[in-house]
Amino acid sequence: MHVDRTTTRPLGRRWLGGALALAVGSGLVLVGGAGTAQAADVNVAKNSGFESGLTNWACSGGSGAAVSSPVRTGAGALRATPAGHDNAKCVQTVAVKPNSTYTLSAWVQGGYAYLGASGTGTGSGSVSTWTPDSAAWKQLTTAFTTGASTTSVEIYTHGWYGTSPYLVDDVSVFGPDGGGGQDPDPVVPATPAGLAAGTVTSNSVALSWGAVSGATGYKVYRNGANPQAVTGTSTTVTGLTADTAYQFQVAATNSAGESAKSTAVTARTAKVTDPGPGPAVPKHALTGYWQNFNNGATVQKLRDVQSQYDIIAVSFADSTATPGQIVFNLDPAVGYASVADFKADIAAKKAAGKSVIISVGGEKGNVTINSDASATAFANSAYTLMQEYGFNGIDIDLEHGINSTYLTKALRQLSAKAGPTMVLTMAPQTIDMQNTGTEYFKTALAVKDILTVVNMQYYNSGSMLGCDGKVYSQGTVDFLTALACIQLQGGLAPSQVGLGVPASTRGAGSGYVDPQIVKNALDCLTRGTGCGTFKPAQTWPSLRGAMTWSTNWDATAGNAWSNAVGPHVHNLP
């Protein structure tokens, strides 16, 4: 599985066990909003913002420390570091009132973070919630009810074994005063001033406003409704209709309540333009994923992408609250001065004969397409991105399961809008292409007439069956050739098959192979030379080529992958 925004992509999310996979797969909501606190409710947690260091808190094995940066509010926050068999648990005992309900919340950032309470005296005696690693502050919220004789409860945070440090700030346990006193209550913040609209696109408007003292967050209203929670003083509202006027307001919030809405500002989204058809994909093509984020690999602008790459997959589109709908948010970490500069780079790559497509999937861009409505939302929003940015097509890299029936409908609707020059690629995992009965294989065959190439990911995989029924180990020439044979014998045209591998040892958790092995596999499949123990009964000279994750990791390794594999692909028969 390539394409997550961590330094290397772990083998799925199974490394925390089945419970985590179940939580992600079932769509568990990890971030919740607390109900409105009653007038008598207080925050019974002490030193909840860590302004007094670790006073009132105890952390296992010395794993916790008060830090001055980063903080969410105030001057302090907790940083706790899991190590070995210590999950960096930090606890505080709070005074509570029997037979009472409390809302427990905290803001977290960094590695895996858990928030919970034990000794509640009701139910199982404990409650908890958690979130995967987060680059921005994220609120965790849960609630508990105390037993008839419960006068104290232990609240806690902890991380997960072997993962990154986590940060905690602004802990609150709102409910009746248990007799232990409280942190000072905040007051409802003032109304924000200075709301202004910035860059607009055909489906988004950038907004900014002045900070409000005592605010812990903001709500952005669109046409007086649909409030969007924001932690900073700027945001980009997405999912809008082209060439349409919208009215925006912002309110400041904290645990005491919400301010009045600001003075409204009106902004009109841009019109969409037809970017025209892109260049034809060459007979033998090299595909590279370009990272719209910084995870430790060389940061590139599109203009920096190595010239060997024929198809550049921009990673990734983002999902929205509307099922099936996608948007694209240019990450400031890439260093573009404006969205216009990014679009100019796309146009320049196309002028140089390259195809630039938008990739859908990865860690944060998972999109659910399981109904007619979501299929239409996908097709419409994908086409909007193609028009707005000039993308030549789309890459399907959905790794959380797909529904072949509705994904096929979505792709056919998109193709009908975009026309016959649309580039359509896929990057399934090895398990997704073991036989023609899998959802991915069924989709590929169902859209075969509009499909450009399937670049299966031959990494983060483990051993798999080849087309001869034998088991082959990841990282060998046999693994590449015998698994490609399944697709070739299963109904895909040779021009629709590519070999997907990491660009360097840091590009994936496992499965890196030396470029020479990739070249041998390409020769085996197209010329019948360079094979290992597996020798296919025929050759497929029109095989499309190879793919890598990512152009950035390739650059980090001195372009060794594209310099070796690119010319070889372009010189295939």
Side-chain angles (χ1 to χ4, degrees), residues 439-482:
E439 292 298 291
Y440 245 111
F441 214 140
K442 286 194 293 185
T443 303
L445 293 176
V447 297
K448 183 178 176 180
D449 57 311
I450 58 172
L451 176 64
T452 306
V453 62
V454 174
N455 291 305
M456 190 173 74
Q457 303 173 38
Y458 291 79
Y459 48 99
N460 290 344
S461 166
S463 299
M464 286 284 163
L465 290 172
C467 64
D468 57 355
K470 296 180 181 179
V471 176
Y472 292 98
S473 299
Q474 178 180 261
T476 63
V477 66
D478 289 333
F479 188 76
L480 300 177
T481 55

Side-chain angles (χ1 to χ4, degrees), residues 306-352:
Q306 302 86 329
S307 61
Q308 291 291 339
Y309 291 103
D310 304 293
I311 302 175
I312 304 167
V314 171
S315 311
F316 297 96
D318 294 311
S319 58
T320 73
T322 301
Q325 186 182 66
I326 59 173
V327 295
F328 179 73
N329 299 300
L330 185 62
D331 193 328
V334 180
Y336 276 102
S338 67
V339 174
D341 286 347
F342 174 69
K343 293 178 181 178
D345 274 6
I346 294 176
K349 281 294 185 183
K350 289 168 63 177

Side-chain angles (χ1 to χ4, degrees), residues 233 248 448 463 539:
T233 56
F248 301 97
K448 183 178 176 180
S463 299
T539 59

